[in-house]
Amino acid sequence: MTTDIFDFSTPVDRRGTWCTQWDYVADRFGRADLLPFTISDMDFATAPCVINALQQRLTHGVLGYSRWKNEAFLGAISHWMTSRFNTQIDTDSIVYGPSVIWMIAEMIRQWSRPGDGIVVHTPAYDAFYKAIQGNQRQLLAVPLQHNNAGWFCDMAQLDAVLARPESKILLLCSPQNPTGKVWTRHELETMAALCERHNVKVISDEIHMDMVWSSQPHTPWCAVARGPWALFNSASKSFNIPALTGAWGLIDDASSRNGWLEALKNSNGLSSPAVLSVVAHIAAYRDGAPWLDALRTYLRANLVYLAERLNNAFPVLNWQVPESTYLAWIDLRPLGIDDSALQKALIEEQKVAIMRGDTYGAEGRGFVRLNVGCPRVKLEQGVKGLIAALASLHQTRICATRPPGCAR
């Protein structure tokens, strides 16, 4: 599949659409005139099959209360898991929620108590920290390690953390955000055995499962699970429809699933889903594969372009395309540049907004996370600004260590 059938190169003006990334960039970066490469949505219109399905539903004209537990929605999810991941699921185990992070937070509330420990690989998606701390739980960090082969978890360290009496849940990000790591089946099986040994439940966030570039395939948690577990997902990242809200999950244990459904309907009053989200998910999972495959080709080419530009400018970085996601996790530590100084240069001189690494925890110091989910012409501007800011600061740093008169 080529990208010729679908247009990802022509920019879509998102300004004036209440767009978080564009219209509210000043909330995080202090200025409104910045070119943003920030939160994880894309600057592409969603798949034509999704647009067509939404238009047909709107033409009907009646937007009353609806249900998510219908054959079309459940069947579309089952079809996607079978056709894309060769994984059979029991549709009776499917649950619904307004968003993946909301579902994670609700599952944390149901499976733990205030003060309990939630185990997380770090650096981590910043909403994980908020969901854990906002529900008065404590985050128990297991920092990911890095070598020439990529990112990995020290399983002995994970074992030790899971063994702590306060550890109740492993909150897994698979594939991992922000590093882009794709967990191997062996790694997942090891984690499943450790969690079973220590009686720790597992919540697996798999929202980036469709964006894997490496030869290592994504393995859904349900394929390796032992003991109580929940898998949460959505088409929102893959098909760029987060504004519709809506997500789905798998909860294998009937008691836990019934508790979830009870809380969804009664405690939280969410018995009726966002019907346009249900429509969009059905269309995406039934008919969206050609568009997604073309998009994946385009996004990977963007990542390759970024790697070539960065490494030509700074060979010492030797930055490699991540195993997954359209979020480039870039290690700038070899350049010895201060994070705050870099942000100042990006914002004030280059007028570019890129996420600083420590947003995702202390292990992110010295990194940036750059969203390449955009037309190439926009990415070219962002990469140019990043390289210019790095070059200026790197030269200043070199000169600071040399005698007076150093050429700048």
Side-chain angles (χ1 to χ4, degrees):
M1 173 62 64
T2 69
T3 60
D4 297 342
I5 299 174
F6 305 103
D7 181 11
F8 301 109
S9 297
T10 302
V12 177
D13 187 0
R14 301 182 68 190
R15 295 182 178 89
T17 63
W18 310 297
C19 169
T20 299
Q21 183 164 191
W22 287 82
D23 289 333
Y24 299 96
V25 67
D27 289 354
R28 189 187 293 265
F29 293 89
R31 294 180 61 145
D33 59 342
L34 305 179
L35 189 67
F37 299 85
T38 56
I39 61 172
S40 56
D41 71 355
M42 297 181 283
D43 291 327
F44 307 122
T46 190
C49 66
V50 172
I51 297 294
N52 292 338
L54 293 173
Q55 289 174 335
Q56 289 178 25
R57 185 65 181 81
L58 289 172
T59 298
H60 179 267
V62 180
L63 298 172
Y65 290 117
S66 186
R67 296 287 179 93
W68 60 269
K69 204 167 188 178
N70 61 71
E71 184 177 346
F73 182 65
L74 303 182
I77 294 170
S78 177
H79 168 74
W80 194 252
M81 294 296 286
T82 301
S83 62
R84 302 295 286 196
F85 303 99
N86 194 30
T87 300
Q88 302 288 332
I89 64 170
D90 179 0
T91 55
D92 286 340
S93 69
I94 296 176
V95 297
Y96 178 85
S99 72
V100 166
I101 197 64
W102 186 93
M103 296 176 85
I104 289 170
E106 176 60 27
M107 201 79 258
I108 287 173
R109 288 189 287 269
Q110 291 195 26
W111 276 354
S112 64
R113 297 179 178 179
D116 283 345
I118 313 298
V119 181
V120 177
H121 295 99
T122 56
Y125 174 39
D126 53 323
F128 279 12
Y129 297 100
K130 296 172 184 176
I132 293 168
Q133 295 163 0
N135 283 290
Q136 295 82 50
R137 275 61 169 178
Q138 58 174 316
L139 185 142
L140 304 179
V142 179
L144 290 174
Q145 310 296 318
H146 190 268
N147 59 21
N148 291 336
W151 293 94
F152 68 96
C153 171
D154 181 336
M155 292 298 177
Q157 183 182 15
L158 176 63
D159 187 15
V161 175
L162 291 172
R164 293 169 58 171
E166 65 269 34
S167 295
K168 302 302 179 185
I169 296 171
L170 170 64
L171 176 51
L172 179 68
C173 195
S174 179
Q176 211 270 343
N177 174 15
T179 65
K181 175 179 173 54
V182 176
W183 299 99
T184 68
R185 189 182 185 96
H186 176 70
E187 288 174 316
L188 293 171
E189 288 173 343
T190 301
M191 285 190 276
L194 292 175
C195 288
E196 182 183 43
R197 177 190 303 167
H198 298 297
N199 195 30
V200 171
K201 298 176 175 66
V202 177
I203 301 173
S204 185
D205 173 353
E206 305 194 11
I207 200 167
H208 291 286
M209 69 176 184
D210 296 314
M211 298 297 182
V212 172
W213 325 119
S214 70
S215 58
Q216 173 63 46
H218 172 73
T219 300
W221 182 261
C222 55
V224 301
R226 304 183 187 185
W229 59 273
L231 184 162
F232 294 135
N233 211 332
S234 174
S236 62
K237 290 285 188 284
S238 305
F239 290 88
N240 206 36
I241 53 172
L244 294 178
T245 73
W248 57 273
L250 304 173
I251 302 176
D252 185 59
D253 174 66
S255 177
S256 294
R257 185 169 62 252
N258 290 336
W260 170 274
L261 296 173
E262 174 72 17
L264 186 76
K265 182 176 181 179
N266 296 329
S267 301
N268 296 300
L270 291 171
S271 57
S272 182
V275 69
L276 295 184
S277 175
V278 173
V279 168
H281 273 78
I282 294 168
Y285 287 163
R286 285 293 184 184
D287 304 313
W291 179 88
L292 180 64
D293 288 339
L295 171 66
R296 285 163 44 85
T297 298
Y298 192 90
L299 290 173
R300 192 179 190 288
N302 271 358
L303 288 164
V304 170
Y305 167 81
L306 172 60
E308 291 174 348
R309 288 293 311 277
L310 269 181
N311 293 333
N312 283 338
F314 306 102
V316 68
L317 294 180
N318 190 31
W319 186 76
Q320 303 297 312
V321 171
E323 294 178 332
S324 69
T325 84
Y326 50 83
L327 305 167
W329 185 242
I330 306 172
D331 185 357
L332 300 174
R333 291 174 298 177
L335 299 179
I337 291 173
D338 177 75
D339 290 352
S340 295
L342 175 59
Q343 284 297 310
K344 181 178 174 66
L346 288 171
I347 294 168
E348 297 182 3
E349 299 171 16
Q350 304 302 325
K351 306 296 176 59
V352 171
I354 300 173
M355 299 296 284
R356 55 188 294 161
D358 55 10
T359 301
Y360 311 97
E363 294 85 359
R365 294 186 185 118
F367 289 77
V368 293
R369 198 193 76 169
L370 189 155
N371 180 350
V372 306
C374 59
R376 178 65 60 81
V377 65
K378 178 194 172 191
L379 180 61
E380 289 172 352
Q381 290 180 263
V383 174
K384 180 181 178 181
L386 175 60
I387 289 175
L390 290 172
S392 174
L393 292 170
H394 187 50
Q395 183 64 34
T396 299
R397 179 176 174 272
I398 292 174
C399 287
T401 65
R402 292 180 179 175
C406 168
R408 293 182 182 269

